[in-house]
Amino acid sequence: MKREELVASRWSLEKANAYMESFGVVKGVNYVPSYCYSYIEIWHHFREEWIVRELGYAKEIGINSLRIFVAACQWETRRELVCQNLDRFLTIASEMGFAVMLTLQPNTYQIPGQMLEEGEDPFQICYQPSGHDRSWNYKGARIFDCKGLWKEDKKGILQFVSEIVARYGQDRRVSFWDLYNEPWEECRELLEDAFSCAREQNPIQPLSSCWRAWDLSDIITFHCYEQPGKAPHKQAGGIHYLSFEDELTRATASGRPVLCTECVARTFGNELKAFLPYYSRMHIGFFVWGFCAGSAQYQIPWEWPVGSPEPKRWFQCLLYPDGTPFDVEEINLIQQFHFTSEEATSPVSGLN
């Protein structure tokens, strides 16, 4: 589809709002089992008993939605295993009453000519104490390569998007699509093509992608790790982060339903007690990054010195591995969170 056709193919405001109203207030987590070293390992090392136990913790603290990931490199090399375990996860989550956002990583793909040997484990664990999700490698894959090299295998990436949306696009165990996790500005072409491939499958769920797809998405999603009332915490890698207030202003501008699909960075001041009042007033659902602290070490800040003790105030994660809350006050805030009756489009400057 051409860009104009993609924009025109979006759900109407009425359809998007009616769909989201059926879920009530979304209170979610980006779910990574505590035994996993990364957010895509789950489909290779699926421990059902462990997962059921942790999802039970989620129910107990008031979580009703889960955001999960599948990468293009997994689909290419281990599709049967991925589908088997993803299907089982979706069944478990559905039976427990969770809405699921299926998030794609089109920019993680196999380098041509570097295939896995028969029976070879794709994860080569190189554990680093105090390493925030840096403890794994995927053999032969370009991880988070989103600055142009995706063009080497654009056909394969779009085949991944088409096939996975075709498989799950009519599956009510999936509630929302995030078609491309954090695309860079240079990836707008690939992002548009991904939306085109997905639209052709006519999925029953709304499509979205954070930051670069405001004009293409049925529902608006964004990530924010900033502290309300403060300047952005850093500018690195060519990314210009918006302030908390600017993120919310941009996200709510269209009047479409809004979800913050990644949040909580306590050491930056992005705490639940700081931002939930804004989300309540502006009718924004949320997905906290990290659930039970574990092998991926999400409680450790980004770029934390290797081997250093974890901070007293965790960076991310809500629970210890045994389900004990890191901060009971936060759990109370999640359980009590609701949308106020005031207009969702209230100016950010008017919030307290």
Side-chain angles (χ1 to χ4, degrees):
M1 293 184 184
K2 295 181 179 180
R3 182 174 302 177
E4 297 77 10
E5 294 174 308
L6 284 173
V7 173
S9 70
R10 289 196 299 178
W11 286 12
S12 67
L13 284 172
E14 294 76 16
K15 181 177 180 180
N17 282 315
Y19 184 88
M20 291 304 298
E21 285 175 5
S22 69
F23 292 96
V25 178
V26 171
K27 299 186 287 186
V29 293
N30 287 268
Y31 181 62
V32 180
S34 60
Y35 67 85
C36 289
Y37 289 87
S38 77
Y39 54 72
I40 64 174
E41 185 187 355
I42 180 175
W43 315 126
H44 298 266
H45 303 144
F46 194 80
R47 302 181 185 178
E48 182 170 329
E49 182 178 352
W50 198 303
I51 291 166
V52 169
R53 181 175 64 251
E54 291 187 345
L55 295 190
Y57 299 155
K59 292 290 289 187
E60 291 175 6
I61 68 170
I63 296 300
N64 59 28
S65 303
L66 309 168
R67 184 169 179 252
I68 56 175
F69 295 77
V70 178
C73 54
Q74 296 177 289
W75 195 258
E76 179 180 2
T77 60
R78 289 292 187 272
R79 184 179 317 176
E80 183 177 343
L81 181 62
V82 169
C83 288
Q84 172 187 317
N85 290 329
L86 177 56
D87 283 341
R88 183 58 190 148
F89 180 87
L90 292 174
T91 295
I92 293 168
S94 177
E95 290 176 347
M96 296 181 72
F98 291 103
V100 175
M101 173 174 281
L102 189 52
T103 303
L104 307 187
Q105 285 283 23
N107 52 331
T108 59
Y109 63 92
Q110 192 77 23
I111 297 175
Q114 293 187 352
M115 302 300 291
L116 294 168
E117 299 295 332
E118 182 67 27
E120 188 175 8
D121 192 327
F123 287 93
Q124 299 174 324
I125 304 302
C126 301
Y127 178 75
Q128 290 181 305
S130 302
H132 180 109
D133 200 9
R134 294 181 301 183
S135 55
W136 62 284
N137 284 305
Y138 188 90
K139 182 177 180 179
R142 294 191 186 277
I143 301 300
F144 303 118
D145 176 18
C146 27
K147 284 197 168 184
L149 291 177
W150 54 265
K151 294 179 181 180
E152 296 178 11
D153 192 29
K154 180 178 178 180
K155 182 178 179 181
I157 293 171
L158 296 180
Q159 183 177 350
F160 157 61
V161 175
S162 294
E163 290 178 350
I164 195 168
V165 177
R167 182 179 179 96
Y168 296 105
Q170 306 301 314
D171 191 333
R172 296 194 180 278
R173 297 175 301 173
V174 174
S175 302
F176 326 102
W177 286 97
D178 186 342
L179 288 181
Y180 197 142
N181 183 58
E182 296 189 348
W184 289 50
E185 185 174 355
E186 295 89 338
C187 295
R188 172 67 188 204
E189 177 188 334
L190 181 60
L191 181 65
E192 291 181 5
D193 288 341
F195 268 82
S196 180
C197 289
R199 290 288 182 208
E200 290 172 359
Q201 303 304 324
N202 194 29
I204 61 175
Q205 312 92 342
L207 306 181
S208 187
S209 177
C210 80
W211 289 339
R212 308 295 178 187
W214 308 107
D215 56 336
L216 309 178
S217 298
D218 301 317
I219 60 175
I220 304 302
T221 57
F222 71 103
H223 297 171
C224 188
Y225 293 112
E226 307 302 335
Q227 180 178 358
K230 300 291 185 179
H233 69 275
K234 67 175 182 177
Q235 292 186 352
I239 302 175
H240 297 283
Y241 294 93
L242 296 181
S243 69
F244 178 87
E245 289 76 12
D246 287 345
E247 283 281 12
L248 268 61
T249 297
R250 182 172 67 172
T252 57
S254 68
R256 290 179 174 272
V258 181
L259 297 172
C260 179
T261 47
E262 291 187 19
C263 56
V264 173
R266 296 184 186 92
T267 55
F268 297 158
N270 186 254
E271 300 242 16
L272 288 162
K273 63 184 178 182
F275 64 74
L276 284 187
Y278 291 78
Y279 290 4
S280 174
R281 178 89 172 264
M282 302 186 77
H283 296 193
I284 297 173
F286 63 90
F287 291 81
V288 171
W289 188 272
F291 183 47
C292 294
S295 297
Q297 304 180 98
Y298 294 130
Q299 72 273 28
I300 305 297
W302 304 319
E303 301 176 2
W304 195 248
V306 173
S308 300
E310 67 182 28
K312 292 182 179 180
R313 191 68 180 161
W314 280 3
F315 185 60
Q316 297 171 329
C317 295
L318 294 174
L319 307 179
Y320 288 92
D322 66 356
T324 302
F326 170 71
D327 185 334
V328 174
E329 180 186 356
E330 290 183 336
I331 304 307
N332 293 335
L333 290 172
I334 291 171
Q335 293 173 339
Q336 297 167 11
F337 180 78
H338 65 283
F339 292 160
T340 66
S341 59
E342 299 180 46
E343 291 294 324
T345 54
S346 298
V348 173
S349 59
L351 297 174
N352 296 318

